[in-house]
Amino acid sequence: MKEWEKNIRKVTPYIPGEQPKMDYVVKLNTNECPYPPSPMVEQAIKDLDYKRFRLYPDPDATELVRAIADYEKVPEERVFVGVGSDDVLGMAFLTFFHGEKPVLMADITYSFYDVWANLFQIPFETIPLNAQLEIVPEEFCRENGGVVFPNPNAPTAIEMPLSQVEKIIRKNQDVVVIVDEAYIDFGGTSALRLTEKYDNLLVVRTFSKSRAMAGMRIGYAIGSETLISALKAVKFSYNSYTMNQAAMAAGIAAIRDEKYFNQTIEKIISTRERAKKVLSDFGFFVTDSKTNFLFATHKTMEAKDIFEQLRDRHIFVRFFDKPRINQYLRITIGTDEEMEILYQALREILK
Ligand SMILES: *Cc1c(COP(=O)(O)O)cnc(C)c1O
């Protein structure tokens, strides 16, 4: 090994779901929205003046922050935006998890959390979900240096009732608690209003799932002014111009179109509820999803086998080769037409 090689930071990166290069029939592997964003987004992109691209974007993303603040009914000082919620969460780890005690996270959860903890050299402890794959709030009440969990959890799709979320926050008022609400719009109850009561609570949201804009990279956090100022200070110590002009314009248009947003959500929820029944009839056990995906295990057939046979048919779902969940598939809710193609393939595979 060369001398300089010894100084290279060694990390094990997060592995995102596959973006297939081949032609695919149905892509249900990365929880994207099957519908396009609001038509107002299309208009906003058409209205962009490319000549302005020579200028740096607004480092404070003022107008996008204002649009989000209006929508969420919070003061602008309590909103932080970033390049997808991954950016927001990464910044939050760097800002708030800076002590010696371990940060608590579930053993089965969004697999980026331990990657950031390792990258930023944050000590952490993983807390097992119970046999029903639920987060056990009591287990998050031990001494710690911070708490992070998604609600609903991913990839289990299970929502924790707000009373239990509050219990975790109430018992952890000496540390920052991050609630990642990437999927909250699909029928969950948000902890957002609790940010008025607890100044150590940060709620993180994204435009990637419910607003059909994964490709635009917009996420945000809501918390007390103290938390948001601290986040901004770290962000401006690293990269000021993260939000580009096109993303900001698209984000503003998307969040203002509440009618389209509600219609999209309704369609996805109705497809999801039907999908739960169909998969159960096929012999799957399906968790009670409050997200835009299902987490399902078949009673007799190996998950990996189903995954591979679907893939052979160019139907993409997600399989995690990890202890405890390696008999499960995570299946994003597509359009009704896409789901019919999936059901037909499953009928053949399970025969
Ligand atoms: C998808 C997802 C994110 C990241 O979404 P972005 O595209 O970066 O906004 C964060 N947390 C969870 C639990 C997710 O599923």
Side-chain angles (χ1 to χ4, degrees), residues 302-319:
E302 295 274 324
K304 188 155 190 261
D305 199 8
I306 304 173
F307 165 77
E308 281 167 357
Q309 292 200 46
L310 285 172
R311 202 173 186 281
D312 291 343
R313 290 168 164 80
H314 292 201
I315 296 170
F316 289 80
V317 300
R318 189 92 190 251
F319 165 71

Side-chain angles (χ1 to χ4, degrees), residues 178-233:
I178 301 177
V179 182
D180 177 356
E181 294 192 338
Y183 301 103
I184 201 70
D185 294 323
F186 301 100
T189 307
S190 175
L192 196 120
R193 300 274 62 106
L194 293 178
T195 60
E196 283 147 28
K197 193 163 157 193
Y198 301 96
D199 58 7
N200 62 319
L201 169 64
L202 192 78
V203 172
V204 179
R205 297 269 185 87
T206 177
F207 281 50
S208 296
K209 289 27 188 274
S210 54
R211 290 182 198 276
M213 300 236 283
M216 272 288 159
R217 314 305 303 131
I218 307 171
Y220 61 99
I222 306 243
S224 63
E225 257 191 78
T226 315
L227 292 186
I228 299 303
S229 313
L231 262 176
K232 285 181 187 165

Side-chain angles (χ1 to χ4, degrees), residues 243-296:
M243 304 300 293
N244 72 66
Q245 294 171 9
M248 289 192 278
I252 293 164
I255 204 149
R256 286 189 183 149
D257 196 349
E258 272 195 73
K259 188 168 164 221
Y260 181 88
F261 171 72
N262 291 329
Q263 284 167 352
T264 305
I265 299 285
E266 251 175 63
K267 278 194 283 189
I268 291 170
I269 291 178
S270 102
T271 307
R272 175 188 76 200
E273 292 309 306
R274 183 171 139 69
K276 284 181 189 169
K277 292 199 189 84
V278 175
L279 291 199
S280 304
D281 291 346
F282 286 178
F284 282 92
F285 165 77
V286 189
T287 63
D288 185 22
S289 169
K290 288 284 168 60
T291 64
N292 68 337
F293 61 89
L294 297 182
F295 200 51

Side-chain angles (χ1 to χ4, degrees), residues 4-77:
W4 53 264
E5 284 183 280
K6 292 182 191 151
N7 288 335
I8 292 177
R9 190 184 293 273
K10 311 280 182 311
V11 288
T12 313
Y14 169 77
I15 304 164
E18 186 178 358
Q19 294 294 342
K21 304 284 182 301
M22 56 162 120
D23 288 339
Y24 54 82
V25 182
V26 182
K27 184 175 181 304
L28 305 173
N29 69 334
T30 51
N31 296 347
E32 289 140 329
C33 178
Y35 303 105
S38 153
M40 283 168 69
V41 172
E42 183 182 14
Q43 195 55 50
I45 293 295
K46 283 183 177 156
D47 290 346
L48 282 173
D49 176 6
Y50 87 97
K51 293 194 201 79
R52 284 189 59 83
F53 290 176
R54 71 190 178 79
L55 301 172
Y56 281 107
D58 172 11
D60 297 305
T62 312
E63 285 183 54
L64 177 59
V65 164
R66 189 170 297 149
I68 293 168
D70 284 351
Y71 174 79
E72 301 288 13
K73 301 187 175 56
V74 295
E76 288 164 38
E77 295 71 31

Side-chain angles (χ1 to χ4, degrees), residues 54-181:
R54 71 190 178 79
L55 301 172
Y56 281 107
D58 172 11
D60 297 305
T62 312
E63 285 183 54
L64 177 59
V65 164
R66 189 170 297 149
I68 293 168
D70 284 351
Y71 174 79
E72 301 288 13
K73 301 187 175 56
V74 295
E76 288 164 38
E77 295 71 31
R78 300 220 288 111
V79 180
F80 176 83
V81 296
V83 185
S85 55
D86 284 343
D87 179 37
V88 174
L89 287 161
M91 283 291 136
F93 270 58
L94 190 56
T95 309
F96 302 121
F97 298 157
H98 192 52
E100 325 245 275
K101 292 179 197 163
V103 166
L104 304 184
M105 59 182 78
D107 63 337
I108 296 160
T109 192
Y110 187 40
S111 49
F112 224 137
Y113 299 155
D114 59 351
V115 173
W116 285 312
N118 286 320
L119 175 63
F120 300 136
Q121 302 179 4
I122 300 162
F124 68 96
E125 206 177 309
T126 55
I127 312 248
L129 302 181
N130 67 16
Q132 288 73 49
L133 299 180
E134 295 158 337
I135 290 176
V136 184
E138 291 72 25
E139 297 290 324
F140 281 78
C141 298
R142 62 182 78 161
E143 207 180 15
N144 65 69
V147 175
V148 58
F149 58 90
N151 196 41
N153 195 11
T156 64
I158 299 170
E159 187 197 20
M160 182 171 18
L162 188 60
S163 59
Q164 294 186 34
V165 172
E166 181 164 11
K167 181 175 176 181
I168 294 179
I169 303 163
R170 199 183 327 111
K171 297 275 171 98
N172 284 291
Q173 295 188 54
D174 293 335
V175 296
V176 173
V177 177
I178 301 177
V179 182
D180 177 356
E181 294 192 338

